[in-house]
Amino acid sequence: MKRESLLRTWVYTALGAALTIICLVSRSADVRDAVSVIAAAQLLPVVLIAYMAKRIRRTFATLFGLAGVCFAVAELISGQKSMFDSALASGLALAAMLGLAAGTLLMVRDRPLLGQRGVSADALIVGLGSWIISWVALVHPLLHRPRHQIPAALLYGAYESVAVLVLFGAIVLLLGFKRRPTSLLMIVGALGLNIVGDIVGALSTIHHVGFGLDRISPALYVAAYFIAGAALLHPSINTLWVAPRNAHETGRLGRVVVTTTASVLPVIVLAATGLQGHADQIVRSVSALLLALAVMSRVVNSIRSNTAAQEALRRGAQTDPLTGLPNRTVLLDRVNACIGESWDRDVQPALYFVDLDRFKNINDSLGHAVGDEVLEMVAQRLLGAVPDGAIVARLSGDEYVVFEPTAQSAAGAMDLADRLLAVFREPLALSQGDVFVTASIGMATMSSSSSSTPEDLLRHADTAMYRAKDAGRNCIALYDESMHERVAHRLAVETALYRALDRHELRLFHQPILDMETGDVEGFEALMRWQRPDGTIVSPAEFIPIAEDTGMIVPIGSWALLEALGQLHRWTVDGICSASATISVNVSPRQLADPHFPSIVSEALARSTVPAGRLWLEVTESMMIAEPELALATLRRLHSLGVRVALDDFGTGYSSLSLLQKFPLQRIKIDRAFVHGVADNPNDRSLVRTIVAMGRSLGLDIVAEGVETVQQLQVLSDLGCKKAQGFLISHPVPADAMRSTVAALERLGNVPGLRALTLRPTSVG
């Protein structure tokens, strides 16, 4: 279809070229007039064709179609004379050009062009400039013709000014495209040829120049009409009604060049030509004055626009666009200024870091529009809660900062913190209903003896805010130096952890799992240990949560899995454990959320050559509660590999019972908190009895963790729990100590009823 349109366009252009040549070579004025009428008349059917093909809109089709009719009638009634010899012909031509001007200005208005502001003022300057040139060069000379030509001359002058305006509008449109549409280039060319034809015709009429201009003028008109018609048939005409993705930056520069030329060139023409009578003087003076006023108005408006744009940029650089609050830069500047003044007064400036709790849930459930509404309402409430002179700023997201430079004491500063927290006790009345939002507030104060900077004060409040988060949210935390020490220590641990794996600082210790009926070592649990190069031992309780938060648990967990399986294989080959012994590896929620985790497990099994049934993956219920569908899908994929899954720390969560039915679990491990009191606490003993009975009914394997006394072991055995691990049996030991550990356990296991466990040898621990 597009190829056919292109072919039609160029065939149509070739027809126009042929008729243009006929006008140039024909000596008959009648032939030239007839061809001109045909050329103008063809615009109407072409406009109809373009409209029926949905290439132009109805408004523009009407304007352009009427313009074609006016041009055709003007050509028809002009007879054998130039079209500007008749006032009626000039009036029709002016009406046609006004229609084109209206259509062009509508297109300019409807398109989001870069620098579109001021187009009307620029058009006025261009129109006045073209009028002055037309008056001096063409209109005033035509007034010396016979009396009946004066109306035609005046209409012609207006026509020329409007024609230049249309050309200016087309150029503005053209400059707004990064890739110039062929149709728009053709329209600009047609308008240019039309204006040149007008000038040539006028020169021929007033006999300023000869050389057969009476042939050239009609030929230019014919070429202009057909090029305009070809533009309407070209496929690229559709792009004129579609907003460009990116406005072209040169559009503004091109307008400046055109407007400047239109304001300077008339001045040159006026200076280079002399006055020819009182009427000429009046027209020149009035026109020059209007042009000067238009240019001055445009300059003033440009200055105002630039000033407003700079002010908007300044506001945008200093304020939050959503709430209108000051941003971080302005906040720190004002804090610095207030701190500098506070040394002369007995005040303790206080800064409050306010962070909304679980704001992500609002965005995820209600949408970002509602989230923005919440942020705006919170900003208004904070502004209403602070005293005069305090500063409320928004840093980013759901983080606000309040600075009170006039606090008299720490107690007074805490009172303001309480008021800030109180603003969240009432629900926010949103468009979708009431919503409760809480906040965690970190508070930091500065005394005259302190040397902290505004950045330090902000960082201290931020640190205190995270302490409030850790304390359960919806509360206030006051900064103290111990917080900084803890944060610095955590950062040091986090930094070292990134390199611990590469530096081989991580090791696996293993704790045997004993079958109490046979006394055999049924399996082992792999436990992570971290020893720094300086000999410092970092507790798993300290570095595992950091690894979880930073995502380092994924590569660390992959290493631990492969290392544990490889060690089990070596123990089996060396005869340290039986070929049925298993290895248990803890899996974090972050690993379960990794879609590649089942593939990692499969690869580790393949590389270690350990059967999948000998691997237990221990999971906690936190992941299964937070992301149940994701956890279920991952566990099912692992189960399909033949890997078995154990639920660690069973009994500590509120939904453990439901997890046993929904998820593919084969083992539960009774938490050490219940094992600790099983010998002395009847409630713990009843709970363990229930867990064992429930596990048996579901066909689950049961292991008791944290066994430390013989009494605990005996009660567990009496309750039906047949597998256990803990310090009584063995502490976690390195891999090279496992041979002696297993041997000691086997010797003890030969004693009936495991009574020998009452004397735990040091080699086992």
Side-chain angles (χ1 to χ4, degrees):
M1 186 68 181
K2 184 176 180 181
R3 183 177 298 178
E4 294 177 359
S5 299
L6 285 172
L7 181 61
R8 230 178 3 250
T9 300
W10 297 121
V11 169
Y12 193 80
T13 304
L15 175 61
L19 293 177
T20 301
I21 294 174
I22 291 175
C23 281
L24 284 173
V25 301
S26 176
R27 297 186 177 183
S28 172
D30 293 337
V31 172
R32 293 195 296 270
D33 290 342
V35 172
S36 297
V37 172
I38 294 173
Q42 56 82 32
L43 288 175
L44 181 59
V46 169
V47 168
L48 291 176
I49 292 173
Y51 173 70
M52 296 300 293
K54 296 183 179 179
R55 292 182 179 172
I56 60 176
R57 299 176 183 173
R58 176 180 297 178
T59 302
F60 299 102
T62 302
L63 291 172
F64 295 159
L66 291 176
V69 172
C70 291
F71 276 130
V73 176
E75 292 284 358
L76 183 63
I77 66 174
S78 64
Q80 296 181 355
K81 301 177 182 179
S82 173
M83 64 182 298
F84 298 106
D85 286 341
S86 168
L88 181 58
S90 297
L92 289 171
L94 176 60
M97 196 56 69
L98 287 172
L100 294 179
T104 305
L105 291 177
L106 283 175
M107 282 193 287
V108 172
R109 184 201 64 184
D110 292 343
R111 296 182 63 79
L113 297 174
L114 186 64
Q116 189 179 27
R117 181 179 299 177
V119 170
S120 299
D122 290 344
L124 178 60
I125 294 173
V126 171
L128 288 171
S130 62
W131 159 256
I132 292 174
I133 296 174
S134 298
W135 170 263
V136 174
L138 302 174
V139 177
H140 186 261
L142 284 174
L143 293 177
H144 291 84
R145 303 288 295 169
R147 188 71 177 173
H148 65 275
Q149 293 294 334
I150 293 177
L154 294 175
L155 289 172
Y156 165 71
Y159 165 84
E160 280 299 317
S161 299
V162 176
V164 173
L165 282 178
V166 176
L167 180 59
F168 171 75
I171 292 174
V172 169
L173 282 173
L174 187 65
L175 294 175
F177 286 88
K178 193 170 184 178
R179 292 187 61 185
R180 317 296 190 201
T182 302
S183 58
L184 192 52
L185 288 171
M186 296 172 76
I187 289 174
V188 171
L191 290 170
L193 289 175
N194 188 74
I195 293 175
V196 173
D198 294 337
I199 296 173
V200 171
L203 291 175
S204 175
T205 300
I206 60 179
H207 301 295
H208 284 182
V209 184
F211 307 107
L213 293 183
D214 56 338
R215 299 183 189 179
I216 297 177
S217 179
L220 292 174
Y221 291 146
V222 171
Y225 293 147
F226 271 94
I227 291 176
L232 294 175
L233 295 176
H234 197 274
S236 64
I237 194 69
N238 291 330
T239 61
L240 301 185
W241 326 111
V242 180
R245 294 181 180 177
N246 294 305
H248 196 25
E249 184 66 29
T250 58
R252 181 176 300 173
L253 178 61
R255 274 180 45 201
V256 170
V257 172
V258 173
T259 307
T260 303
T261 303
S263 59
V264 173
L265 193 58
V267 177
I268 297 175
V269 171
L270 290 176
T273 58
L275 295 174
Q276 299 181 13
H278 184 66
D280 186 28
Q281 182 181 8
I282 294 175
V283 172
R284 289 187 181 214
S285 300
V286 173
S287 300
L289 177 61
L290 292 176
L291 179 61
L293 291 175
V295 172
M296 182 173 64
S297 175
R298 183 68 175 96
V299 171
V300 170
N301 287 334
S302 296
I303 293 175
R304 289 179 177 175
S305 298
N306 289 335
T307 303
Q310 291 176 4
E311 179 63 22
L313 289 175
R314 186 189 64 80
R315 287 196 304 269
Q318 295 181 346
T319 60
D320 170 50
L322 178 63
T323 62
L325 297 176
N327 60 12
R328 180 189 181 92
T329 303
V330 175
L331 170 72
L332 293 178
D333 289 341
R334 294 187 182 179
V335 171
N336 188 51
C338 293
I339 290 176
E341 298 172 357
S342 67
W343 305 142
D344 300 331
R345 297 176 295 166
D346 188 18
V347 295
Q348 288 185 320
L351 190 142
Y352 310 85
F353 203 108
V354 182
D355 187 271
L356 304 186
D357 297 329
R358 300 182 180 89
F359 179 71
K360 184 177 182 297
N361 293 342
I362 295 178
N363 278 334
D364 293 344
S365 59
L366 301 179
H368 289 277
V370 175
D372 290 345
E373 191 177 354
V374 169
L375 295 175
E376 291 181 86
M377 295 190 69
V378 168
Q380 294 302 316
R381 287 196 177 185
L382 292 176
L383 286 171
V386 300
D388 294 338
I391 302 168
V392 180
R394 178 176 175 233
L395 300 190
S396 63
D398 57 345
E399 297 176 341
Y400 299 85
V401 171
V402 176
F403 178 65
E404 164 58 309
T406 61
Q408 299 295 319
S409 63
M414 183 58 72
D415 289 340
L416 177 56
D418 291 332
R419 293 203 303 273
L420 294 177
L421 192 64
V423 305
F424 298 97
R425 291 173 184 165
E426 295 296 326
L428 301 176
L430 305 179
S431 57
Q432 295 190 4
D434 291 349
V435 172
F436 280 93
V437 177
T438 61
S440 300
I441 301 178
M443 172 184 165
T445 60
M446 179 178 288
S447 63
S448 58
S449 60
S450 174
S451 60
S452 299
T453 64
E455 290 81 2
D456 293 335
L457 189 62
L458 181 62
R459 185 173 63 254
H460 294 166
D462 189 16
T463 301
M465 182 273 295
Y466 279 105
R467 171 57 63 88
K469 293 279 189 184
D470 294 339
R473 298 182 173 87
N474 193 26
C475 62
I476 303 167
L478 177 62
Y479 174 80
D480 58 58
E481 290 299 328
S482 64
M483 293 183 184
H484 176 71
E485 294 174 0
R486 284 191 292 270
V487 171
H489 177 69
R490 176 189 167 94
L491 181 61
V493 172
E494 181 179 325
T495 302
L497 184 60
Y498 276 101
R499 302 173 181 174
L501 192 59
D502 295 334
R503 293 179 176 179
H504 306 289
E505 298 174 8
L506 298 177
R507 301 175 61 192
L508 289 183
F509 278 48
H510 304 270
Q511 187 174 43
I513 299 174
L514 196 68
D515 188 321
M516 291 185 287
E517 288 186 333
T518 64
D520 296 332
V521 175
E522 187 272 343
F524 311 88
E525 180 179 357
L527 301 169
M528 190 101 50
R529 296 294 184 266
W530 180 15
Q531 183 173 4
R532 302 286 296 276
D534 59 359
T536 304
I537 302 296
V538 184
S539 169
E542 181 178 3
F543 75 83
I544 292 297
I546 295 176
E548 184 76 21
D549 291 341
T550 60
M552 280 295 295
I553 195 66
V554 174
I556 291 176
S558 299
W559 166 82
L561 180 65
L562 182 60
E563 179 71 14
L565 287 170
Q567 189 60 62
L568 180 65
H569 175 72
R570 290 189 289 272
W571 285 337
T572 304
V573 172
D574 294 342
I576 296 176
C577 65
S578 67
S580 61
T582 63
I583 190 74
S584 298
V585 180
N586 291 281
V587 177
S588 75
R590 196 75 173 257
Q591 288 176 277
L592 277 185
D594 182 7
H596 302 294
F597 183 64
S599 300
I600 293 173
V601 174
S602 178
E603 182 181 358
L605 290 169
R607 291 177 61 180
S608 64
T609 68
V610 173
R614 298 180 65 186
L615 173 62
W616 285 96
L617 295 179
E618 296 189 5
V619 300
T620 59
E621 67 179 60
S622 59
M623 174 62 183
M624 291 182 278
I625 296 173
E627 298 286 347
E629 298 301 325
L630 178 60
L632 181 60
T634 302
L635 293 179
R636 283 176 175 173
R637 290 177 62 187
L638 293 171
H639 183 67
S640 67
L641 296 175
V643 175
R644 292 182 286 182
V645 181
L647 182 60
D648 200 9
D649 302 331
F650 184 79
T652 59
Y654 63 88
S655 60
S656 297
L657 297 179
S658 64
L659 296 178
L660 298 180
Q661 295 178 326
K662 183 176 182 181
F663 291 89
L665 303 171
Q666 292 81 41
R667 169 182 284 179
I668 54 177
K669 302 189 73 172
I670 304 174
D671 188 77
R672 65 184 66 247
F674 306 111
V675 173
H676 179 74
V678 71
D680 306 319
N681 190 323
N683 292 330
D684 288 346
R685 191 179 307 117
S686 297
L687 180 59
V688 171
R689 181 184 295 109
T690 302
I691 293 174
V692 171
M694 178 186 60
R696 283 183 171 180
S697 66
L698 295 175
L700 299 177
D701 195 51
I702 303 172
V703 177
E705 296 181 290
V707 178
E708 298 181 357
T709 67
V710 174
Q711 290 79 12
Q712 293 172 357
L713 190 67
Q714 185 62 52
V715 172
L716 289 170
S717 179
D718 294 342
L719 293 176
C721 180
K722 304 305 180 185
K723 295 178 182 178
Q725 67 181 99
F727 290 169
L728 176 67
I729 299 168
S730 172
H731 282 74
V733 298
D736 55 8
M738 188 56 69
R739 181 184 293 276
S740 60
T741 300
V742 171
L745 289 174
E746 288 178 348
R747 288 195 299 271
L748 294 174
N750 292 327
V751 179
L754 298 177
R755 288 186 298 273
L757 284 177
T758 57
L759 298 174
R760 187 183 57 179
T762 56
S763 62
V764 177

